Amino acid sequence: GAGIDPESFARRDGGAFRRRCGINGRPLVGFVGSLASHKNVDKIVDAMPLVWQWNREVCLVIAGFPDGPYPELDRALGRLNSEERDRVLVICNLPEREKGDLYDALHVFVMPSIGESFGISYLEAWICNKPVIGAKIASTACVIVEGTGGLLVEPKQPSDIARAIIELLADPERRRQMGQRGHSKVTENFTWERICDGMEK
C-alpha cells in the first residue's frame, strides 16, 4: 500500500499560506492533485455556487499539477461570474515544501476522483488533521470509512459534493473529530515506517 512521511508535514503554517493568498479567516475548501478529468475538479467548481448560497465567504483553492488539457475545468471556471471567480484560487505546480502549509490552512479537503487505486492525498490531509471528501467508489471506500475520517459523495453530482462540503463546514466539532481519526489512521497504518515493517514481516 501507499505511505507518507509525517515529518514532511510536521512544520506547517496554514496562517502563512492564508496571508500569502489574502484568504485570512474565511472558510477554505481545497483540492491537491493532478489536474486530469478523472479527478472531477470541475465538479467541485460546479458545486461552489450551491455552497455560496449557504455562505458567500467560502473560498476554494485548487492546487493542481497539469496533466494535459482539462477543458471541463476551464469551462467550469468560465461559468463563474467575476465575483465568484475571485473566491477561487488556482495554483499550478505547488512547490512540495508548501503542501503542508496549504493542508494546514484548509477546513475541508475534497477530491471526488474516480481514478484512484488508493488516493495518497487523503493521507496527506489526514496527517494535517483535516477531514476529507472522496468519491463513492470501491477503492476510495476502502480508504475513507464513511462518517469516520470523512464523507463519500457521488462524484459526478455537484449537488452532493456541495452537500458534503456544507455539512462539514457547518460543524467544527465533527471536522475536528474526523481530522483526528484520520490522523490516527495514518500514524497507525500508513507511514512509510509502518509499510516497511509490514513488508519485512
Side-chain angles (χ1 to χ4, degrees):
I4 64 168
D5 176 16
E7 288 301 313
S8 300
F9 297 89
R11 293 186 177 182
R12 57 185 188 268
D13 189 344
F17 179 87
R18 286 173 166 273
R19 288 190 294 273
R20 286 196 300 271
C21 299
I23 297 170
N24 301 317
R26 299 166 74 177
L28 184 60
V29 177
F31 164 89
V32 180
S34 62
L35 292 177
S37 60
H38 68 267
K39 297 285 188 177
N40 285 318
V41 185
D42 56 301
K43 298 299 188 292
I44 304 173
V45 175
D46 286 339
M48 292 309 295
L50 298 171
V51 175
W52 291 324
Q53 289 178 16
W54 172 73
N55 184 344
R56 294 178 59 195
E57 292 298 305
V58 179
C59 292
L60 170 67
V61 59
I62 299 169
F65 307 93
D67 189 25
Y70 190 176
E72 298 94 339
L73 177 58
D74 295 335
R75 287 194 291 268
L77 291 169
R79 285 192 286 270
L80 303 178
N81 62 41
S82 58
E83 184 181 346
E84 292 170 337
R85 186 63 182 82
D86 286 343
R87 302 183 199 125
V88 180
L89 175 64
V90 179
I91 305 172
C92 288
N93 297 312
L94 179 78
E96 193 71 23
R97 66 182 180 278
E98 294 182 16
K99 259 191 181 182
D101 290 351
L102 189 159
Y103 282 115
D104 195 49
L106 296 179
H107 287 88
V108 177
F109 174 76
V110 55
M111 186 174 73
S113 172
I114 57 171
E116 304 303 307
S117 61
F118 187 89
I120 198 166
S121 295
Y122 303 126
L123 304 186
E124 294 176 341
W126 276 337
I127 203 66
C128 297
N129 292 289
K130 303 302 172 178
V132 302
I133 296 172
K136 196 178 290 184
I137 60 173
S139 57
T140 300
C142 289
V143 180
I144 303 170
V145 177
E146 169 70 17
T148 301
L151 300 176
L152 297 172
V153 297
E154 296 296 338
K156 296 289 187 181
Q157 293 185 12
S159 60
D160 201 37
I161 297 170
R163 185 260 322 156
I165 290 172
I166 292 169
E167 272 190 32
L168 293 181
L169 289 180
D171 195 338
E173 179 59 21
R174 192 180 186 194
R175 291 200 312 269
R176 186 190 66 78
Q177 291 177 359
M178 284 186 170
Q180 285 185 342
R181 293 187 196 117
H183 185 275
S184 296
K185 184 171 187 172
V186 174
T187 56
E188 292 169 10
N189 301 284
F190 295 114
T191 65
W192 279 124
E193 183 177 6
R194 295 282 189 180
I195 298 294
C196 290
D197 285 347
M199 290 293 290
E200 288 170 354
K201 288 178 183 177

